[in-house]
Amino acid sequence: MSQSIHPSVFIHESAIVDAGASIGENSRVWHFVHVCGGAVIGRHCSMGQNVFIGNKVIIGDDCKIQNNVSVYDNVTLEDGVFCGPSMVFTNVYNPRSFVDRKSEFMSTLVKTGATLGANCTIVCGNTIGKFAFIGAGSVVNKDVPDYALMVGVPARQIGWMSEYGERLDLPLTGSGDAYCKHTGAKYTLANGTVTKSN
Ligand SMILES: CC(C)(COP(=O)(O)OP(=O)(O)OC[C@H]1O[C@@H](n2cnc3c(N)ncnc32)[C@H](O)[C@@H]1OP(=O)(O)O)[C@@H](O)C(=O)NCCC(=O)NCCS
């Protein structure tokens, strides 16, 4: 398999990009990064120092992966996902060193625009909704709704976050409207779901 690295991609001389990997326009691969050959990485992404990207990994455009993050097999990041420094993905739910569980990897999907705070852990098999915000150090062990703000161990929802990253003045349940303090965009909560309407 040949490499498909766009000529504009910056790859630091200490990084290793295995044959077969695909990396889109203007992405940056910093010190000591290892990208495996099956990885597909979009445009305008940044992979900070000591990042690892596995084989069965798809990363969209405009993702920022901070230092010391390993994106293991069966993890998919849509566009604009922020992975804070030293956050942790997993892909085996019940690992045992004596038991081979390579055929039991569980998938993790992180939807567009989500932020995964520094040092958080995403237990495999869960989906992080679009523009969800996971606080630093949280442990996520269930699906997260779009725009939800989650903190703690285990992560609990304490609110809602706008696409810009501002808290929204909405209740956790019920219904209501709120406006992003920065952009003025309107968000509506109804039937447990937040949607942005402009
Ligand atoms: C979640 C966050 C954005 C704060 O949002 P906020 O709306 O300002 O929240 P507040 O600080 O008002 O906290 C609200 C409550 O949640 C708690 N809380 C906030 N962040 C928390 C976290 N990461 N873990 C656990 N609890 C947290 C607060 O202690 C507070 O609890 P209380 O009501 O019992 O006092 C911030 O704490 C955070 O985790 N940011 C991520 C930073 C990061 O990882 N950056 C990576 C790139 S450097």
Side-chain angles (χ1 to χ4, degrees):
M1 210 191 316
S2 64
Q3 258 173 335
S4 168
I5 310 294
H6 191 276
S8 61
V9 173
F10 169 79
I11 301 178
H12 189 266
E13 61 184 351
S14 64
I16 295 173
V17 178
D18 292 342
S22 172
I23 309 180
E25 198 178 332
N26 289 327
S27 286
R28 286 153 290 147
V29 180
W30 292 103
H31 307 66
F32 311 115
V33 168
H34 179 193
V35 178
C36 292
V40 177
I41 299 165
R43 298 175 295 153
H44 312 290
C45 290
S46 167
M47 279 146 280
Q49 183 170 310
N50 201 36
V51 162
F52 169 80
I53 311 286
N55 275 306
K56 287 180 66 184
V57 171
I58 299 173
I59 296 174
D61 298 335
D62 300 297
C63 290
K64 287 194 176 63
I65 304 176
Q66 303 287 81
N67 293 1
N68 303 313
V69 173
S70 291
V71 188
Y72 296 122
D73 285 354
N74 289 40
V75 173
T76 299
L77 310 182
E78 292 186 347
D79 295 339
V81 171
F82 183 98
C83 298
S86 301
M87 60 78 47
V88 173
F89 289 108
T90 59
N91 59 12
V92 178
Y93 191 77
N94 55 340
R96 286 293 200 199
S97 198
F98 282 125
V99 182
D100 184 354
R101 293 231 150 89
K102 285 203 183 68
S103 62
E104 298 175 35
F105 284 176
M106 293 176 75
S107 299
T108 297
L109 171 62
V110 186
K111 292 193 175 173
T112 298
T115 292
L116 311 176
N119 276 309
C120 76
T121 297
I122 310 298
V123 175
C124 53
N126 294 303
T127 294
I128 311 298
K130 69 176 183 177
F131 293 100
F133 195 106
I134 311 301
S138 307
V139 175
V140 174
N141 61 352
K142 59 182 183 186
D143 290 344
V144 173
D146 295 350
Y147 300 106
L149 170 59
M150 312 285 295
V151 299
V153 180
R156 304 271 186 231
Q157 188 177 356
I158 60 165
W160 305 94
M161 238 11 184
S162 75
E163 294 187 5
Y164 194 79
E166 299 283 357
R167 282 289 288 270
L168 291 167
D169 187 13
L170 286 172
L172 286 181
T173 56
S175 60
D177 294 328
Y179 298 85
C180 174
K181 284 194 286 269
H182 187 89
T183 66
K186 183 182 180 187
Y187 294 82
T188 301
L189 171 65
N191 303 317
T193 302
V194 165
T195 48
K196 177 172 176 265
S197 56
N198 60 354

